[in-house]
Amino acid sequence: MHIYFEVDFQEQAQHYQAVLHSRGVTVDLQPIEKLNARFLRLNPDLALCVDQNGLWLSANGMKMQPDWKAEIPRLKRASLKSEMIARACQLGEKPVLVDATAGLGHDSLLMAYLGAQIQLVERHPILFTLLEDSKAQAQHDPFLSQFMDRIQLIFADSASYLQQLDQEEKTVDVVYLDPMFPQRDQNQQAIKKQAQVKKQMQLLHLLLPEDGEMDLGDHLLELAKKVAKRVIVKRPRHAVFLANQEPAHQWQGDACRFDAYFQ
Protein backbone atom coordinates (compact mmCIF):
# COMPACT_ATOMS: atom_id res chain seq x y z
CA MET A 1 0.00 0.00 0.00
CA HIS A 2 1.13 3.57 -0.73
CA ILE A 3 1.06 6.70 1.40
CA TYR A 4 0.63 9.65 -0.95
CA PHE A 5 1.69 13.07 0.29
CA GLU A 6 2.63 16.51 -0.92
CA VAL A 7 6.20 17.55 -0.11
CA ASP A 8 5.12 19.89 2.69
CA PHE A 9 3.84 16.86 4.61
CA GLN A 10 6.81 14.52 4.22
CA GLU A 11 7.65 14.53 7.93
CA GLN A 12 4.09 13.57 8.88
CA ALA A 13 4.05 10.85 6.21
CA GLN A 14 7.28 9.39 7.56
CA HIS A 15 5.76 9.38 11.05
CA TYR A 16 2.70 7.44 9.88
CA GLN A 17 4.93 5.03 7.94
CA ALA A 18 6.91 4.27 11.11
CA VAL A 19 3.76 3.84 13.21
CA LEU A 20 2.20 1.46 10.70
CA HIS A 21 5.46 -0.49 10.38
CA SER A 22 5.44 -0.99 14.16
CA ARG A 23 1.95 -2.51 13.73
CA GLY A 24 2.98 -4.89 10.97
CA VAL A 25 1.91 -2.85 7.93
CA THR A 26 4.43 -2.01 5.22
CA VAL A 27 3.65 1.13 3.24
CA ASP A 28 5.64 2.94 0.55
CA LEU A 29 5.97 6.71 0.62
CA GLN A 30 4.95 8.36 -2.65
CA PRO A 31 5.48 12.13 -2.89
CA ILE A 32 3.17 13.79 -5.41
CA GLU A 33 2.73 17.29 -6.76
CA LYS A 34 -0.93 17.82 -5.88
CA LEU A 35 -3.22 15.63 -3.80
CA ASN A 36 -6.58 16.58 -5.28
CA ALA A 37 -9.78 15.02 -6.65
CA ARG A 38 -8.24 14.46 -10.08
CA PHE A 39 -5.30 12.57 -8.59
CA LEU A 40 -7.66 10.37 -6.58
CA ARG A 41 -9.69 9.52 -9.69
CA LEU A 42 -6.54 8.60 -11.60
CA ASN A 43 -5.24 6.45 -8.73
CA PRO A 44 -8.23 4.31 -7.70
CA ASP A 45 -6.40 1.64 -5.69
CA LEU A 46 -6.77 1.58 -1.92
CA ALA A 47 -4.15 3.90 -0.43
CA LEU A 48 -3.40 6.23 2.45
CA CYS A 49 -2.94 9.96 2.05
CA VAL A 50 -1.52 12.70 4.24
CA ASP A 51 -2.41 16.39 4.05
CA GLN A 52 -3.27 19.28 6.36
CA ASN A 53 -6.19 17.23 7.69
CA GLY A 54 -3.97 14.35 8.78
CA LEU A 55 -4.17 10.72 7.67
CA TRP A 56 -7.00 9.37 5.55
CA LEU A 57 -7.92 6.43 3.34
CA SER A 58 -8.67 6.72 -0.37
CA ALA A 59 -9.95 4.50 -3.18
CA ASN A 60 -12.03 4.87 -6.34
CA GLY A 61 -11.94 8.65 -6.17
CA MET A 62 -13.28 8.69 -2.60
CA LYS A 63 -11.58 9.64 0.66
CA MET A 64 -12.39 8.78 4.25
CA GLN A 65 -11.18 9.40 7.76
CA PRO A 66 -13.03 9.12 11.09
CA ASP A 67 -13.13 12.95 11.22
CA TRP A 68 -14.38 13.37 14.76
CA LYS A 69 -14.48 17.15 14.32
CA ALA A 70 -17.29 16.74 11.78
CA GLU A 71 -19.39 15.11 14.53
CA ILE A 72 -19.45 18.26 16.69
CA PRO A 73 -22.86 19.52 15.43
CA ARG A 74 -24.41 16.14 16.24
CA LEU A 75 -22.84 16.14 19.69
CA LYS A 76 -24.10 19.63 20.48
CA ARG A 77 -27.66 18.51 19.69
CA ALA A 78 -27.37 15.35 21.80
CA SER A 79 -28.67 14.82 25.32
CA LEU A 80 -29.30 11.91 27.65
CA LYS A 81 -33.03 12.26 26.98
CA SER A 82 -32.89 12.62 23.20
CA GLU A 83 -30.47 9.80 22.36
CA MET A 84 -31.79 6.24 22.31
CA ILE A 85 -28.24 4.95 22.74
CA ALA A 86 -28.04 6.89 26.02
CA ARG A 87 -31.09 5.10 27.40
CA ALA A 88 -29.91 1.70 26.19
CA CYS A 89 -26.43 2.08 27.70
CA GLN A 90 -27.60 4.00 30.79
CA LEU A 91 -25.12 6.77 30.05
CA GLY A 92 -26.58 8.91 32.82
CA GLU A 93 -24.83 6.59 35.26
CA LYS A 94 -21.45 7.35 33.60
CA PRO A 95 -20.65 3.68 32.93
CA VAL A 96 -17.33 2.08 32.13
CA LEU A 97 -18.04 0.85 28.61
CA VAL A 98 -16.14 -1.35 26.15
CA ASP A 99 -16.89 -0.59 22.50
CA ALA A 100 -15.78 -3.88 20.98
CA THR A 101 -16.60 -2.97 17.37
CA ALA A 102 -14.97 0.43 17.01
CA GLY A 103 -15.61 1.27 13.35
CA LEU A 104 -15.02 5.00 12.92
CA GLY A 105 -15.59 5.66 16.61
CA HIS A 106 -18.59 7.96 16.14
CA ASP A 107 -20.87 6.14 18.60
CA SER A 108 -18.09 6.04 21.19
CA LEU A 109 -17.48 9.74 20.67
CA LEU A 110 -21.15 10.42 21.40
CA MET A 111 -21.19 8.14 24.43
CA ALA A 112 -18.05 9.72 25.85
CA TYR A 113 -19.56 13.17 25.38
CA LEU A 114 -22.63 12.01 27.32
CA GLY A 115 -20.50 10.76 30.21
CA ALA A 116 -19.28 7.21 29.58
CA GLN A 117 -15.70 6.08 30.15
CA ILE A 118 -14.90 4.35 26.87
CA GLN A 119 -12.47 1.56 26.05
CA LEU A 120 -12.46 1.65 22.24
CA VAL A 121 -11.07 -1.62 20.87
CA GLU A 122 -9.89 -2.05 17.26
CA ARG A 123 -7.72 -4.81 15.82
CA HIS A 124 -7.08 -3.58 12.27
CA PRO A 125 -3.79 -1.64 12.27
CA ILE A 126 -4.79 0.87 9.59
CA LEU A 127 -8.21 1.60 11.06
CA PHE A 128 -6.68 1.86 14.54
CA THR A 129 -4.09 4.35 13.24
CA LEU A 130 -6.85 6.42 11.63
CA LEU A 131 -8.72 6.45 14.95
CA GLU A 132 -5.55 7.38 16.81
CA ASP A 133 -4.97 10.29 14.44
CA SER A 134 -8.56 11.50 14.87
CA LYS A 135 -8.21 11.45 18.64
CA ALA A 136 -4.91 13.33 18.46
CA GLN A 137 -6.56 16.04 16.37
CA ALA A 138 -9.58 16.13 18.69
CA GLN A 139 -7.32 16.81 21.66
CA HIS A 140 -6.46 20.16 20.06
CA ASP A 141 -10.09 21.12 19.49
CA PRO A 142 -11.60 23.41 22.18
CA PHE A 143 -14.88 21.46 22.27
CA LEU A 144 -13.74 17.86 21.80
CA SER A 145 -10.72 18.17 24.09
CA GLN A 146 -13.06 18.56 27.08
CA PHE A 147 -13.87 14.83 27.08
CA MET A 148 -11.06 13.11 25.16
CA ASP A 149 -9.70 11.75 28.43
CA ARG A 150 -12.83 9.55 28.58
CA ILE A 151 -11.76 7.64 25.45
CA GLN A 152 -9.01 5.04 25.71
CA LEU A 153 -7.93 3.51 22.40
CA ILE A 154 -6.91 -0.15 22.65
CA PHE A 155 -5.12 -1.88 19.77
CA ALA A 156 -6.32 -5.44 20.22
CA ASP A 157 -8.62 -8.12 18.90
CA SER A 158 -11.95 -7.63 20.68
CA ALA A 159 -12.46 -11.32 21.39
CA SER A 160 -9.00 -11.60 22.91
CA TYR A 161 -9.53 -8.43 24.93
CA LEU A 162 -12.84 -9.65 26.36
CA GLN A 163 -11.29 -13.04 27.13
CA GLN A 164 -8.46 -11.29 28.95
CA LEU A 165 -10.92 -9.32 31.07
CA ASP A 166 -12.70 -12.55 31.93
CA GLN A 167 -9.48 -14.37 32.82
CA GLU A 168 -8.42 -11.48 35.06
CA GLU A 169 -11.91 -11.49 36.64
CA LYS A 170 -12.46 -7.88 35.63
CA THR A 171 -15.90 -6.55 34.77
CA VAL A 172 -17.28 -3.46 33.07
CA ASP A 173 -20.72 -1.88 33.17
CA VAL A 174 -21.49 -2.18 29.46
CA VAL A 175 -20.13 -3.88 26.36
CA TYR A 176 -21.36 -2.19 23.19
CA LEU A 177 -21.47 -4.12 19.91
CA ASP A 178 -22.23 -2.61 16.52
CA PRO A 179 -21.25 -5.26 13.97
CA MET A 180 -20.70 -3.45 10.71
CA PHE A 181 -22.58 -5.60 8.24
CA PRO A 182 -25.45 -7.76 9.51
CA GLN A 183 -26.59 -9.91 6.62
CA ARG A 184 -30.28 -10.85 6.95
CA ASP A 185 -33.46 -9.66 8.59
CA GLN A 186 -35.59 -11.57 11.09
CA ASN A 187 -37.53 -13.25 8.29
CA GLN A 188 -34.26 -14.49 6.78
CA GLN A 189 -34.79 -12.28 3.75
CA ALA A 190 -31.83 -10.35 2.40
CA ILE A 191 -31.74 -6.77 3.61
CA LYS A 192 -32.11 -4.46 0.65
CA LYS A 193 -29.00 -2.45 0.00
CA GLN A 194 -29.39 1.28 0.03
CA ALA A 195 -29.20 2.92 -3.38
CA GLN A 196 -25.93 4.48 -2.40
CA VAL A 197 -23.92 3.31 0.58
CA LYS A 198 -22.11 6.10 2.36
CA LYS A 199 -18.64 6.67 1.01
CA GLN A 200 -17.15 5.92 4.40
CA MET A 201 -18.78 2.50 4.45
CA GLN A 202 -17.72 1.76 0.87
CA LEU A 203 -14.11 2.34 1.83
CA LEU A 204 -14.46 0.26 4.99
CA HIS A 205 -15.78 -2.56 2.81
CA LEU A 206 -12.55 -2.36 0.82
CA LEU A 207 -10.36 -2.20 3.91
CA LEU A 208 -12.27 -4.93 5.77
CA PRO A 209 -13.42 -7.48 3.16
CA GLU A 210 -16.30 -9.67 4.26
CA ASP A 211 -14.38 -12.89 3.75
CA GLY A 212 -11.41 -11.64 5.75
CA GLU A 213 -11.12 -8.80 8.24
CA MET A 214 -14.79 -7.93 8.57
CA ASP A 215 -16.20 -8.93 11.94
CA LEU A 216 -19.90 -9.82 12.00
CA GLY A 217 -19.72 -10.06 15.78
CA ASP A 218 -21.65 -13.28 16.48
CA HIS A 219 -18.86 -14.79 18.58
CA LEU A 220 -18.49 -11.63 20.68
CA LEU A 221 -21.88 -11.82 22.36
CA GLU A 222 -21.12 -14.71 24.71
CA LEU A 223 -17.72 -13.25 25.57
CA ALA A 224 -19.30 -9.88 26.31
CA LYS A 225 -21.94 -11.40 28.58
CA LYS A 226 -19.19 -12.86 30.77
CA VAL A 227 -17.64 -9.49 31.61
CA ALA A 228 -20.50 -6.95 31.49
CA LYS A 229 -23.64 -6.36 33.48
CA ARG A 230 -25.28 -5.14 30.28
CA VAL A 231 -24.51 -5.91 26.63
CA ILE A 232 -26.02 -3.57 24.05
CA VAL A 233 -26.12 -4.57 20.39
CA LYS A 234 -26.93 -2.01 17.70
CA ARG A 235 -28.72 -3.52 14.70
CA PRO A 236 -30.60 -2.35 11.62
CA ARG A 237 -34.28 -2.33 12.55
CA HIS A 238 -35.13 -5.58 10.72
CA ALA A 239 -31.86 -7.47 11.18
CA VAL A 240 -31.73 -10.88 12.83
CA PHE A 241 -30.70 -11.09 16.47
CA LEU A 242 -26.96 -11.31 16.97
CA ALA A 243 -25.95 -14.98 17.23
CA ASN A 244 -29.70 -15.73 16.96
CA GLN A 245 -30.12 -14.89 20.66
CA GLU A 246 -33.31 -13.07 21.59
CA PRO A 247 -32.58 -10.01 23.75
CA ALA A 248 -34.11 -9.28 27.13
CA HIS A 249 -35.18 -5.82 26.01
CA GLN A 250 -35.18 -3.62 22.90
CA TRP A 251 -35.23 0.06 22.05
CA GLN A 252 -36.67 0.59 18.56
CA GLY A 253 -35.91 3.49 16.25
CA ASP A 254 -36.91 4.23 12.68
CA ALA A 255 -33.73 2.85 11.11
CA CYS A 256 -32.03 0.90 13.88
CA ARG A 257 -32.67 -0.71 17.22
CA PHE A 258 -30.70 -1.53 20.36
CA ASP A 259 -30.93 -5.07 21.76
CA ALA A 260 -30.08 -5.52 25.44
CA TYR A 261 -28.73 -8.61 27.20
CA PHE A 262 -28.41 -8.54 30.98
CA GLN A 263 -26.37 -10.62 33.40
Side-chain angles (χ1 to χ4, degrees):
M1 181 180 282
H2 297 313
I3 292 183
Y4 295 117
F5 64 95
E6 297 175 13
V7 291
D8 289 347
F9 301 99
Q10 180 171 345
E11 185 175 337
Q12 293 95 316
Q14 289 172 336
H15 165 73
Y16 294 124
Q17 182 187 40
V19 168
L20 287 165
H21 179 75
S22 73
R23 293 171 180 159
V25 179
T26 300
V27 290
D28 299 318
L29 296 183
Q30 295 286 328
I32 61 170
E33 184 175 341
K34 193 67 177 175
L35 189 57
N36 54 22
R38 182 175 183 274
F39 175 84
L40 296 179
R41 287 195 303 271
L42 294 174
N43 294 270
D45 292 341
L46 193 66
L48 291 163
C49 302
V50 179
D51 64 7
Q52 67 274 13
N53 296 314
L55 183 69
W56 39 280
L57 195 67
S58 71
N60 299 327
M62 300 178 292
K63 55 190 288 190
M64 180 276 286
Q65 60 183 172
D67 195 6
W68 288 1
K69 290 183 180 181
E71 295 296 300
I72 291 176
R74 178 195 179 198
L75 298 179
K76 288 184 174 179
R77 294 192 302 269
S79 70
L80 291 171
K81 290 184 178 180
S82 67
E83 294 291 337
M84 190 163 56
I85 194 173
R87 299 192 293 276
C89 295
Q90 293 189 319
L91 298 184
E93 298 183 7
K94 303 188 184 305
V96 175
L97 184 150
V98 173
D99 183 345
T101 48
L104 299 177
H106 294 167
D107 283 348
S108 275
L109 188 69
L110 173 64
M111 291 189 286
Y113 172 67
L114 293 175
Q117 294 287 336
I118 304 291
Q119 298 169 23
L120 186 59
V121 186
E122 177 53 53
R123 69 181 180 182
H124 194 286
I126 292 176
L127 186 52
F128 182 84
T129 304
L130 289 165
L131 288 166
E132 190 175 55
D133 190 55
S134 283
K135 183 182 178 183
Q137 292 187 48
Q139 286 170 328
H140 296 288
D141 180 87
F143 178 78
L144 296 175
S145 62
Q146 298 175 62
F147 57 93
M148 278 302 102
D149 61 347
R150 296 183 203 144
I151 299 178
Q152 177 188 6
L153 296 179
I154 298 170
F155 181 40
D157 174 76
S158 292
S160 299
Y161 184 70
L162 294 173
Q163 287 171 339
Q164 180 182 340
L165 290 179
D166 184 39
Q167 290 166 2
E168 295 175 358
E169 298 184 346
K170 294 179 179 177
T171 60
V172 296
D173 298 311
V174 182
V175 171
Y176 179 73
L177 302 175
D178 179 14
M180 287 172 54
F181 307 101
Q183 294 301 296
R184 294 182 178 275
D185 66 14
Q186 289 171 327
N187 297 317
Q188 297 300 311
Q189 296 172 345
I191 294 176
K192 294 180 180 179
K193 292 183 179 179
Q194 296 179 358
Q196 184 176 10
V197 180
K198 287 183 178 180
K199 290 181 180 180
Q200 291 178 334
M201 300 310 293
Q202 290 183 42
L203 286 171
L204 284 179
H205 270 280
L206 293 173
L207 184 64
L208 309 172
E210 190 164 345
D211 59 353
E213 293 293 335
M214 186 187 296
D215 190 350
L216 299 179
D218 284 1
H219 66 296
L220 294 177
L221 182 56
E222 284 304 315
L223 294 171
K225 287 161 69 175
K226 292 180 179 180
V227 300
K229 304 169 188 174
R230 167 181 294 242
V231 179
I232 300 298
V233 182
K234 183 180 180 181
R235 305 292 273 173
R237 182 177 173 88
H238 298 295
V240 294
F241 299 132
L242 189 63
N244 292 316
Q245 292 193 33
E246 187 171 352
H249 189 74
Q250 289 184 309
W251 290 263
Q252 294 271 3
D254 293 335
C256 71
R257 68 173 199 265
F258 294 94
D259 296 345
Y261 303 83
F262 306 125
Q263 261 196 3

